[in-house]
Amino acid sequence: MPRHQKPTLNDVARESGSSIATVSRAMSQPELVQPQTLERIREVAARLGYVPNRRARALASGQSETIGVVVPTLNSPIFSSTLQEMQRSFAANGFQLLIASHEYDAASETAALAQLVSHGVDGLIVVGAKRAPSALAVLKAARVPIVQLWEGSADHDRVTVDNHQAGYLAARHLVDIGHRNIGVICGHLLNNDRQSARVEGIRAALEKDGLTLARTKISEQPLTISAGRAGCMTLLQMLPRPTAIIGTADLLAIGALFEAQGRGIAVPDALSIAGIDNVDVAAHLSPSLTTVDIPAANIGTEAAALLLQRLRGENTGPAARIALPVTMVVRHSTARAPG
Amino acid sequence: MPRHQKPTLNDVARESGSSIATVSRAMSQPELVQPQTLERIREVAARLGYVPNRRARALASGQSETIGVVVPTLNSPIFSSTLQEMQRSFAANGFQLLIASHEYDAASETAALAQLVSHGVDGLIVVGAKRAPSALAVLKAARVPIVQLWEGSADHDRVTVDNHQAGYLAARHLVDIGHRNIGVICGHLLNNDRQSARVEGIRAALEKDGLTLARTKISEQPLTISAGRAGCMTLLQMLPRPTAIIGTADLLAIGALFEAQGRGIAVPDALSIAGIDNVDVAAHLSPSLTTVDIPAANIGTEAAALLLQRLRGENTGPAARIALPVTMVVRHSTARAPG
DNA sequence: GATCACTATGAAAGCGTTTACATCACGGAG
DNA sequence: CTCCGTGATGTAAACGCTTTCATAGTGATC
């Protein structure tokens, strides 16, 4: 019987002389079938190379063992660490990840969410809380557990990182060592509440000391090293020149560092530079980068744990919140303000 | 009728006074239904908030609009650029990506592949050709188009990057500028044909000039900056000390660069360092890193194009191969051998 | 006016599972 | 010896969609 189709439950049932229901049980609830029958079925299944069809299983059971994840980009060092850990946790529990990215475009995000929901994911992981009303509607209609990363709202489980605090710490550090004129290079603030919160944190720290963060001292840039350089160049042209620069993402700070060095400006003696994220390379640069550590990998682990609990029904309570700490990492790219 | 279930085709059919078949056609082949009927159906569908259930669609049609991707890691700069572009291309064509990573563990890879296949992906993208026999069996049984990235075998479509050539170019460059004693820091060679090929390329370039690559001059490391530092440290202890080091991944080379600088060894005057990959940061370091450019983003784009062609039946011919060029990028971390 | 091709629609059979519900055999309780 | 609970298995109805095939209606053709 050389059929060239994949074998189905039916085939196994016929070959093993059991009913299709018994075979189904043998696959998913083996404790319900007699050991002897079970073994016979398993032997046949192995011989035929039977692999359960999850699409059918998903349709019948309403569970797809699939988690949808939507992130802004896949190739940022931060998100990719988070993803890596998330994938590890979910895979260990039999779940696959459907991953989409939207590159900070609201329409793409809505589309991605809609697609994932229509694919029937069992759970959803999203970054940030702020989003287009249409996207919110999609999430609402999805009727599956949702975990928000980074920033969250009270109506869903969330793993938050205090971005405001991260900005605050970075600015506080610089103010503490005498800086009064601080420039900021940040990502585009539209559709990005992580970046917005960091900038607000910086503002708060400055205002506490009676300083203000003028709009002109903020350079909005894409989140790349080159953009960091460009932002740095802009800020350095201002008079009086800032004595310190905060990049609200390490990539930006690193770009700024390179740009300053390229122009012969001594870091940290003539210019202090601080970042936020603590990416791998930050510790190795010279001078090593002062930054605020964001536990990116942990975010992934915790988010997976939270979602798995919901899926298993172990947590039916109100929306949980796991707030991960951010910590200042003072290295050698910052120093007391000159003069 | 406030049912709290998601509306189905049936609901739309009832409300719009058409049959379920017509509604189905209105959704997926609108040209087959009369404009007037179509509009009525669309109006009802919109009012009910109907979203097609792709699980059911997949089961009935045999197409899931889902592509499985298995990569070693998600958080490498190289793979994540590839993924980003791939995701972009597929999303533009209505496909979602099921992404898994195995962290260079053969068993995990087999498991991931099996899961993806059982999920019923329409196509599969894998990295490299060499894999465990069990994994090959899974691929064979999958009966879906497969695209191999980086290294490929003749039985599948593939987007290759000549890793051998990349290694060759890097070594050739160093030999050309007078280096005779070259150390190599590479990733673990087991289960990683990209790394193996790069090392072999280096070996070939050296042997062409009558040089040999002693096993002792190769340091196998994980693919991280810290590991690059460690590898560099090991190599620097050898006597005579190598005058040049190749990191077969930029992260390794960057680590080596930092380590050398940390030890007060002038790069490139006392020690030349070259990498392979051309990651973003390479151009910005000081000295900027001499490396071999690997078109990571292109790999994603091309792979998606290849797979989409197969899925659309536009290409039913023999396995295609797209070989992307690698190019030497000489910067300032390499210089003529001292003496 | 009968025939034909064609279009728009409907009825119904799957797709491969899961899962009530029914059945049956068996053994212990009364 | 009958009754009933129990455990193993089977039957069949979903799950929500696609798709084949049949049907009815519409003009055009001879």
Side-chain angles (χ1 to χ4, degrees):
Chain A
M1 186 196 60
R3 286 172 56 203
H4 267 315
Q5 299 300 318
K6 291 192 191 174
T8 73
L9 262 196
N10 226 320
D11 298 327
V12 179
R14 189 168 1 86
E15 289 280 311
S16 71
S18 300
S19 81
I20 179 173
T22 304
V23 178
S24 169
R25 281 187 278 259
M27 292 299 148
S28 34
Q29 307 167 65
E31 69 277 9
L32 290 186
V33 15
Q34 223 175 9
Q36 169 187 346
T37 316
L38 182 57
E39 180 167 2
R40 184 159 33 86
I41 292 177
R42 287 201 166 145
E43 184 270 319
V44 173
R47 179 156 54 77
L48 262 45
Y50 170 74
V51 175
N53 178 330
R54 291 178 117 103
R55 311 204 273 224
R57 181 180 289 188
L59 181 56
S61 72
Q63 306 258 278
S64 66
E65 286 164 317
T66 277
I67 305 293
V69 184
V70 182
V71 292
T73 76
L74 295 173
N75 59 1
S76 113
I78 293 296
F79 290 128
S80 60
S81 314
T82 303
L83 282 175
Q84 172 79 23
E85 288 309 312
M86 222 153 62
Q87 134 81 29
R88 188 208 301 269
S89 297
F90 278 119
N93 287 275
F95 285 86
Q96 285 290 330
L97 260 41
L98 268 165
I99 303 181
S101 71
H102 54 71
E103 304 182 50
Y104 299 101
D105 176 64
S108 304
E109 183 179 23
T110 306
L113 286 171
Q115 269 212 42
L116 291 179
V117 170
S118 124
H119 261 293
V121 296
D122 290 341
L124 223 33
I125 294 192
V126 301
V127 173
K130 251 179 22 188
R131 46 181 44 87
S134 53
L136 289 175
V138 170
L139 288 186
K140 191 149 208 168
R143 303 181 180 290
V144 296
I146 296 175
V147 174
Q148 297 175 331
L149 304 186
W150 293 84
E151 300 279 331
S153 47
D155 48 347
H156 296 299
D157 285 346
R158 54 207 192 281
V159 180
T160 62
V161 163
D162 194 338
N163 284 299
H164 187 278
Q165 172 75 353
Y168 187 91
L169 286 177
R172 185 79 237 157
H173 164 69
L174 289 171
V175 170
D176 281 350
I177 57 178
H179 294 276
R180 290 294 174 271
N181 184 358
I182 298 177
V184 172
I185 310 173
C186 62
H188 293 299
L189 302 176
L190 191 66
N191 295 331
N192 191 334
D193 44 8
R194 279 88 58 208
Q195 288 290 318
S196 311
R198 291 175 180 187
V199 172
E200 285 317 306
I202 294 170
R203 190 187 307 281
L206 295 185
E207 288 178 353
K208 195 168 173 201
D209 269 38
L211 303 170
T212 58
L213 178 57
R215 166 166 309 208
T216 53
K217 296 228 196 95
I218 302 180
S219 171
E220 278 190 46
Q221 298 286 345
L223 294 172
T224 67
I225 293 180
S226 304
R229 295 190 80 135
C232 179
M233 206 160 65
T234 309
L235 293 176
L236 289 178
Q237 281 161 2
M238 304 191 59
L239 293 176
R241 206 173 78 183
T243 62
I245 289 179
I246 301 177
T248 59
D250 274 358
L251 289 185
L252 297 173
I254 291 170
L257 174 60
F258 290 144
E259 182 66 19
Q261 290 176 331
R263 295 176 166 250
I265 298 172
V267 178
D269 299 333
L271 179 68
S272 284
I273 295 180
I276 297 176
D277 279 346
N278 197 18
V279 299
D280 274 354
V281 76
H284 299 287
L285 296 165
S286 63
S288 57
L289 186 69
T290 292
T291 188
V292 181
D293 181 71
I294 302 285
N298 265 4
I299 295 176
T301 315
E302 296 291 351
L306 227 42
L307 195 47
L308 285 168
Q309 274 184 10
R310 286 282 176 200
L311 291 173
R312 293 189 187 122
E314 290 169 9
N315 178 2
T316 53
R321 172 176 183 176
I322 294 179
L324 297 177
V326 300
T327 53
M328 191 71 215
V329 180
V330 178
R331 297 206 183 93
H332 300 103
S333 64
T334 52
R336 187 149 274 288
Chain B
M1 188 195 58
R3 286 171 57 203
H4 266 316
Q5 298 300 318
K6 292 193 190 174
T8 72
L9 261 196
N10 227 322
D11 298 326
V12 178
R14 190 169 356 87
E15 289 279 311
S16 71
S18 299
S19 81
I20 179 176
T22 304
V23 178
S24 169
R25 280 188 278 259
M27 293 298 150
S28 33
Q29 306 167 63
E31 69 277 9
L32 290 186
V33 14
Q34 224 176 6
Q36 170 187 344
T37 316
L38 183 57
E39 180 168 3
R40 183 161 33 86
I41 291 177
R42 286 202 167 142
E43 184 270 319
V44 173
R47 179 157 52 77
L48 263 46
Y50 170 73
V51 175
N53 177 328
R54 291 178 115 100
R55 310 204 274 224
R57 182 180 288 191
L59 182 57
S61 72
Q63 306 259 276
S64 65
E65 286 164 317
T66 277
I67 305 294
V69 185
V70 181
V71 292
T73 75
L74 295 173
N75 60 359
S76 114
I78 293 295
F79 290 129
S80 60
S81 317
T82 303
L83 281 175
Q84 172 79 21
E85 288 309 312
M86 223 153 62
Q87 134 81 27
R88 188 210 300 269
S89 297
F90 278 119
N93 287 274
F95 285 87
Q96 286 289 333
L97 260 42
L98 269 166
I99 303 180
S101 71
H102 54 72
E103 304 181 49
Y104 299 100
D105 176 64
S108 305
E109 183 178 23
T110 306
L113 286 171
Q115 268 213 41
L116 292 178
V117 170
S118 125
H119 260 294
V121 295
D122 290 342
L124 223 33
I125 294 191
V126 301
V127 173
K130 256 181 14 191
R131 44 181 45 87
S134 54
L136 289 176
V138 171
L139 288 185
K140 191 148 207 169
R143 300 181 182 290
V144 297
I146 296 175
V147 175
Q148 297 175 330
L149 303 185
W150 293 85
E151 299 281 332
S153 47
D155 50 346
H156 296 299
D157 284 346
R158 54 209 191 281
V159 180
T160 61
V161 163
D162 194 337
N163 285 298
H164 188 278
Q165 172 75 354
Y168 187 91
L169 286 177
R172 185 78 236 157
H173 163 69
L174 290 171
V175 169
D176 282 349
I177 56 179
H179 294 275
R180 291 292 174 269
N181 184 357
I182 299 176
V184 172
I185 310 172
C186 62
H188 293 298
L189 302 176
L190 191 66
N191 294 333
N192 191 334
D193 44 7
R194 279 87 58 208
Q195 288 290 318
S196 310
R198 291 176 180 187
V199 172
E200 285 315 306
I202 295 171
R203 189 188 305 281
L206 294 185
E207 288 178 352
K208 194 167 173 203
D209 270 38
L211 303 170
T212 58
L213 178 57
R215 165 166 310 208
T216 53
K217 295 227 196 96
I218 303 180
S219 172
E220 278 190 46
Q221 299 285 345
L223 294 171
T224 67
I225 293 180
S226 305
R229 295 191 80 135
C232 180
M233 207 160 66
T234 308
L235 292 177
L236 289 178
Q237 282 161 1
M238 305 192 58
L239 292 176
R241 205 171 81 182
T243 61
I245 289 179
I246 301 177
T248 59
D250 273 0
L251 290 184
L252 296 173
I254 291 170
L257 175 60
F258 290 144
E259 181 66 19
Q261 290 177 331
R263 295 175 165 251
I265 298 172
V267 177
D269 298 334
L271 179 69
S272 285
I273 294 180
I276 297 178
D277 279 346
N278 197 19
V279 299
D280 274 355
V281 77
H284 299 288
L285 297 165
S286 64
S288 56
L289 186 69
T290 292
T291 188
V292 180
D293 181 70
I294 302 285
N298 265 4
I299 294 176
T301 314
E302 297 292 350
L306 226 41
L307 195 46
L308 284 168
Q309 275 184 9
R310 287 280 177 201
L311 292 173
R312 292 187 187 125
E314 290 169 7
N315 178 1
T316 53
R321 172 177 184 178
I322 295 180
L324 297 176
V326 300
T327 54
M328 190 71 216
V329 180
V330 177
R331 298 205 182 95
H332 301 102
S333 65
T334 52
R336 190 151 272 287

